[in-house]
Amino acid sequence: MNLREGSIGVEDLVLLEPLEEESMLKNLQLRYENKEIYTYIGNVLVSVNPYQQLPIYGPEFITKYQECTFYELKPHIYALANMAYQSLKFRDRDQCILITGESGAGKTEASKLVMSYVAAVCGKGEQVNSVKEQLLQSNPVLEAFGNAKTIRNNNSSRFGKYMDIEFDFKGSPLGGVITNYLLEKSRVVKQLKGERNFHIFYQLLAGADAQLLKALKLERDTSGYAYLNREVSRVDGMDDASNFKSVQSAMTVIGFSEEEIRWVLEVTALVLKLGNVELSDEFQANGISASGISDGRGVLEIGEMMGLDSKELERALCSRTMATAKEKVVTALNVVQAQYARDALAKNIYSRLFNWIVNRINESIKVGIGEKKKVMGVLDIYGFEILEDNSFEQFVINYCNEKLQQVFIELTLKEEQEEYKKEGIPWKKVDYFDNGIICNLIEHNQRGILAMLDEECLRPGVVSDSTFLAKLNQLFSKHGYYESKVTQNAQRQYDHTMGLSCFRICHYAGKVTYNVNSFIDKNNDLLFRDLSQAMWKAKHPLLRSLFPEGDPKQASLKRPPTAGAQFKSSVAILMKNLYSKNPNYIRCIKPNEHQQRGQFSWELVATQARYLGLLENVRVRRAGYAFRQGYRPFLERYRLLSRSTWPRWNGGDREGVEKILGELSTCTSEEMTFGKTKIFIKSPKTLFYLEEQRRLRIQQLATLIQKIYRGWRCRTHYQQMRKSQILISSWFRGTMQKKRYGKIKASALLIQAFVRGWKARKDYRKYFRSGAALTLSSFIYKSLAQKFLLGLKNNLPSTSILDKKWPAAPYKCFTTANQELQRLYHQWKCKKFRDQLSPKQVEVLREKLCASELFKGKKAAYPPSVPIPFHGDYIGLRGNPKLQKLTSGEEGPVLMAETVRKVNRGNGKTSSRILLLTKGHVILTDTKKSQAKTVIGLESVAGVSVTSFKDGLFGLHLSEISSVGSKGDFLLVSEHVVELLTKMYRAVLDTTQRQLPVTVAEQFSVRFKESNVTVKVIQGPTGNGNGKLSCKKKGSHSLEVTV
């Protein structure tokens, strides 16, 4: 690969000169500082984490890299993903992409970019898009439940993930399978300083709405939970609330039902609440130390949410049942033991929940058994970890990274050299470090550290972490990659950093000191049978399914496999899977320890470059060949480049390959070597030249096929067209002659008609007067107008103003005049009708008009009131002299008198009142005593509020400055609300010369003394709004009225 103009540094380290560690690091630093984070080592991609978003991703870049070969553009993760996908699609080779590096080096983001690229370039269609969306949406779900903030990384994967994406023969995704490895479940109960628990706990508390939190019996404040680090509750650049919505949406896309999502959140809440179960010291009657629950509220809430018997759960947390073949012995647990049991239960619940989520995702994306498929695996697993205090989790994580380094060594370095030797090709040996001895130290079946740990866990007698360390010191006292305080003392070495309870392993990434405290417990990973049985008895479907061993029918005294043995078995399966596929490597590098953009720590990057073996990899690539392939597939792919081998070749495969390359001038002997079974090509440039020539040759062959096909098609088409043309021509000529004859005949007749007309006009011109046409047209128009007006006179409609009939105009020229006459006639009828009305009738119509302006189209009670006259007196005021005394004669007659119901301000109950409306006041009296209880001047009425239903409820708003208004507004119910409010509106207008505001709404505010009360009106079960009215107080500031 030649250097492109304008490239920064060397894009492929194979071309680096001089080949030294210093020059390699300088090149990486130069490219990193110029935001070029990707560099090649042959077909291996080195990625340096930029700790920022760069504008080098998206559909535009995907299209660009999809259309180019590996070395045509700048180094990019899209180029490696495209090479793997194209090899899978066109060469039928299963692929795996191994993403390795330290924690915080960007492995998770790299796996997302690979998956997004493959999803973008593969096939399309409704089913394919659904599968792609499910595969992509699995990431946010697994990140929420499996990632956490650590000291080194804000989004660190605390589990290993290997995803097999399965494709059909066309390269379209069919589904996939996700395998998870060793979730760091100890994080559930304890986190280091500056770290957080798993993201889902914070997302749930920040993003769940109040109703969901209440259902889960949780509070939003993270400081109220013992399992959450109170010092670190938020992460810069991470929105927990929006991420929670994204997780819920992703689970729905994957195929989780609403019920399953609720189950998952309930179990997650259960883990949080278990941490708040406080245990205290108690003593039995015989003086033996025991434990109990300090506050039973937490256990009761767990029992209610999970369908558990709280007493049963408390017994399981505070005691243990030891079963033998003959009897069962119940032993009380002290506080320390009970706390251990509680934490073990929380860790087991969360770990099993995570496994259930992975299995549930696999159910949604799995592929049918009978379908033939190709596979691309993507490995995103925790990076190498060296912490201040390294425990069992770091030990197994680093063991897994040792195995991955072994895969890289064997497939990239060791097998490279062995293949050249096997093919009989001269090879200059490249020295490399083989970490097989370290892997053997850890995983040997009889004498490995994991084997010793399992043996110590199973051994009867007193077993502790100290006895385990003593056994390691005895067994590996002379091992070159094992150290401890005992072995150092034996060799008379002094190291103050080595503790008495520690041992050290010289990993490929450097020396790591492990503290053996809790190794035995974490490897046993025991959960008391009492707790399993208690969880199995829960009525919660998901929680019950997580503990199948709790079923008494399936109870077994057989000891479950240890955590170390399970992980070792999982790693062995993973290694076998990786060995069966073609590997593609992404080596991720962390540029600094502070997650700062633009900072490049020389020492840190140098350390990572050494244990990643980058320099050895460059040496192998420069000394070896970039491409190799068997003679048969090479011949099948490129035989069309030679006339000797195309279209068929009868000789041997190697001879055919030699023929092809011999006829190509660019392929010199320095660029290639012939092995026993394969052809080896040194430079990728030569391979790209072959691919380009093949592409051009395919275009030539396609053009030749198209030319022959088009010639045959054109000849056939020409013969058909010639026959058709002869037939069409004969019919066409006959038809044209017929049309021509018809036109000539029509033209002759037209000429004859014109000539005869001209002669007739010439002979009789003397008989015509000048202006005769105008006189005739004027006479005709006047005759038509006279006829129209006389006819309209005889057919006039009735004089009723409701009769809108009108005769239509006989001619279009009279349409405008007809409309104007209709308008004038209607106005005349209206005037005649008004002249006949008495002053009282005029007043009634004005009131109806006012009611229409106030309520038409706004209140449902208005239409029924239109045909009913306004009476005004509904209580027989003339026959009741006591009520007549309440109104002064100076104010004139009573405009409205009726019985209304007043809504009590305190309890919402109603009581009957008589309402009298005069031109100056509104008077409310008691129905029994006929005494004025309230007199309201119309100038004090500030407004009226009514509903849009058929009910008679209205609020009478009074101004605060008035004496009556200081007590608050009135809430009244009238059976003639339309008439009452219309008369009140007109009275206020006449008295105060202002318009009374009338508000129509289902919810309005009234003032009761010094506080405002919101009145909300709803329809009752009948739905017509005119049923029985009932009022119900909703707190001190709300009143609900059902009508």
Side-chain angles (χ1 to χ4, degrees), residues 156-172:
S156 176
S157 297
R158 308 318 299 161
F159 71 105
K161 180 181 72 173
Y162 177 74
M163 174 183 283
D164 267 335
I165 308 173
E166 300 175 347
F167 300 82
D168 62 11
F169 70 96
K170 296 178 294 185
S172 299

Side-chain angles (χ1 to χ4, degrees), residues 308-324 328-333 337-338 341-342 344-345 348-349 352 526-538 543 547 549-552 555-557:
L308 275 168
D309 184 357
S310 57
K311 296 294 183 182
E312 180 80 13
L313 178 58
E314 182 176 355
R315 184 194 60 76
L317 287 172
C318 299
S319 63
R320 181 183 180 186
T321 302
M322 306 291 290
T324 62
K328 292 183 179 180
V329 179
V330 179
T331 304
L333 303 177
Q337 293 171 333
R342 177 199 62 193
L345 177 61
N348 269 272
I349 290 175
R352 297 182 187 205
L526 289 179
L527 181 68
F528 296 152
R529 187 176 288 108
D530 303 68
L531 293 170
S532 297
Q533 292 175 350
M535 295 300 103
W536 184 82
K537 292 177 181 177
L543 182 63
F547 293 88
E549 75 275 14
D551 186 355
S556 173
L557 297 178

Side-chain angles (χ1 to χ4, degrees), residues 13 167 169 219 290 415 467 487 538 575 591 653 765 809 822 857 902 909:
L13 295 178
F167 300 82
F169 70 96
E219 299 293 335
E415 289 189 4
T467 60
T487 60
M575 296 302 112
D653 295 336
R765 186 171 295 168
Q822 183 182 4
K902 176 180 173 292
K909 295 183 179 180

Side-chain angles (χ1 to χ4, degrees), residues 196-212:
R196 291 205 317 176
N197 210 322
F198 291 102
H199 292 326
I200 186 61
F201 295 116
Y202 305 92
Q203 292 173 1
L204 174 60
L205 296 178
D209 54 34
Q211 184 178 359
L212 178 58

